[in-house]
Amino acid sequence: MEPSNVKDSNGNILQDGDSVTLIKSLKVKGSSTTLKQGTLVKKIRLTDNDEEVDCKVDGMSIVLKTCFLKKR
């Protein structure tokens, strides 16, 4: 498998299972929920798209853009 090219907002390489922090508050589409800045997201999963990661937050399975994430 080729090395991943998925990077957070600071240019750090992200891998499956990493923990990340949100650098901006984000509204969740299709929901009244807002994810607050500083929210810790554990065990991310990489997707086919280098600019997105799949994760679970508060029991919801959502996709986040890597430009809003900072590696822990």
Side-chain angles (χ1 to χ4, degrees):
M1 190 172 158
E2 66 186 49
S4 86
N5 200 18
V6 180
K7 296 183 179 177
D8 70 1
S9 59
N10 294 334
N12 297 316
I13 302 278
L14 296 175
Q15 297 175 332
D16 276 345
D18 280 348
S19 293
V20 295
T21 306
L22 292 177
I23 62 168
K24 179 181 176 186
S25 293
L26 302 171
K27 290 190 178 199
V28 179
K29 281 187 181 178
S31 171
S32 60
T33 308
T34 300
L35 300 176
K36 302 280 186 219
Q37 178 179 350
T39 300
L40 177 63
V41 181
K42 297 180 181 177
K43 296 184 182 174
I44 63 170
R45 292 177 301 283
L46 303 182
T47 63
D48 292 338
N49 184 341
D50 283 352
E51 295 180 4
E52 297 176 342
V53 295
D54 190 26
C55 58
K56 278 196 170 181
V57 179
D58 298 334
M60 295 182 297
S61 187
I62 59 174
V63 175
L64 295 173
K65 293 246 183 216
T66 55
C67 60
F68 300 122
L69 305 176
K70 179 175 76 175
K71 187 173 181 177
R72 284 287 286 214

